[in-house]
Amino acid sequence: MNKSTCIHYNPRYGWDLNSDANLEMRLFAKAQRRQVTILSYGCDLDHHTIKKIARHYLTRKKFSEADTTIEIRYDIYDANSSKHEESQYYWKTYFISERTLAAFLQALRRLSGTHIHCEFNVRGHFEVKINGVEFSTRVLKPLDYPSMYKEDLIGRYLLFIDTESPDNEMIRHKIHLLPKELQSLSLPLDSSQLQWQLLVKDWITAILRYDV
């Protein structure tokens, strides 16, 4: 935003947004709320039923009234690599109403696993090296409170072991045999790069050492 047209100085409390800028910010925030990624994760998910639910509720056709439309992506992570289908839905964008989104989530939450909202455009990778071996993790930013965690995951990242690095094969195949607390990792948003390195290395080292 342009400083001269979007902010002004108020002698009582300092710099403030102009009314037009306030409107612009509200519209921007509203647009952000209308984009969301839904993530289903767990072990041995019911993929057959998930496919039926996705076919029933998800459409790629835009509504004529933008105000009623939410742009969503759907992502799935199964700790059991033999059942996991990589990015089956994620690279497609769907357009549904708020009511349909609520029904979609309600249907998913009748199944096993955890089904949460995540930030729309946050899905990346974080790599670490342990004894010369490179491991990669998938990173998402939850907007919900999964019951498996004691703390609220708002303001945290959620990490999974993915297949981005070929070296991950030595651990990816056994993730479903691990305790739940080792199947994923959550990290605070304000963690430093060094903290990420240390915590992710500790997590992967624990996975490597776990006998199954």
Side-chain angles (χ1 to χ4, degrees):
M1 292 186 295
N2 185 287
K3 178 179 176 180
S4 61
T5 60
C6 295
I7 64 174
H8 65 275
Y9 185 78
N10 187 306
R12 289 188 295 123
Y13 53 82
W15 291 102
D16 194 8
L17 288 170
N18 296 336
S19 57
D20 288 347
N22 270 309
L23 176 60
E24 182 181 339
M25 293 295 288
R26 286 197 300 272
L27 290 174
F28 175 78
K30 183 179 180 181
Q32 295 306 299
R33 288 196 299 272
R34 297 201 175 275
Q35 289 183 318
V36 67
T37 293
I38 302 301
L39 169 67
S40 294
Y41 69 97
C43 186
D44 296 320
L45 298 174
D46 185 350
H47 294 277
H48 178 71
T49 304
I50 285 174
K51 285 180 182 179
K52 286 185 175 180
I53 292 170
R55 280 199 301 266
H56 182 74
Y57 289 105
L58 300 183
T59 176
R60 302 192 68 191
K61 183 179 179 181
K62 284 190 176 182
F63 287 76
S64 57
E65 296 182 15
D67 284 345
T68 66
T69 304
I70 300 175
E71 186 177 352
I72 78 164
R73 288 177 178 151
Y74 183 41
D75 203 3
I76 302 174
Y77 181 87
D78 197 318
N80 189 338
S81 60
S82 67
K83 294 187 176 181
H84 179 76
E85 297 183 45
E86 183 65 26
S87 302
Q88 182 180 4
Y89 299 97
Y90 183 76
W91 299 115
K92 299 175 183 177
T93 301
Y94 303 95
F95 303 91
I96 61 178
S97 67
E98 291 183 5
R99 180 176 295 182
T100 302
L101 176 58
F104 176 56
L105 279 167
Q106 185 179 41
L108 288 175
R109 286 169 177 164
R110 294 192 186 105
L111 308 178
S112 62
T114 302
H115 311 276
I116 61 173
H117 299 76
C118 291
E119 197 160 309
F120 186 74
N121 282 320
V122 179
R123 186 188 193 251
H125 299 279
F126 185 78
E127 294 85 21
V128 294
K129 280 192 175 182
I130 301 175
N131 297 325
V133 179
E134 183 174 86
F135 297 96
S136 67
T137 65
R138 180 186 301 179
V139 183
L140 295 102
K141 186 180 178 184
L143 301 172
D144 277 348
Y145 183 101
S147 59
M148 66 172 284
Y149 288 97
K150 293 180 181 178
E151 76 275 17
D152 195 334
L153 285 198
I154 295 174
R156 300 181 71 85
Y157 287 109
L158 188 58
L159 287 74
F160 301 99
I161 300 298
D162 60 16
T163 55
E164 188 74 10
S165 169
D167 293 327
N168 275 19
E169 181 55 34
M170 68 176 68
I171 56 175
R172 180 64 181 95
H173 72 281
K174 69 174 185 178
I175 297 299
H176 65 296
L177 302 174
L178 303 175
K180 276 190 176 182
E181 60 268 21
L182 285 179
Q183 292 180 7
S184 60
L185 177 70
S186 72
L187 294 176
L189 293 184
D190 59 357
S191 298
S192 68
Q193 185 79 359
L194 178 59
Q195 287 173 317
W196 271 65
Q197 287 281 340
L198 293 173
L199 292 170
V200 173
K201 282 184 178 181
D202 285 348
W203 174 42
I204 293 176
T205 299
I207 293 173
L208 287 166
R209 290 176 176 171
Y210 195 91
D211 290 327
V212 296

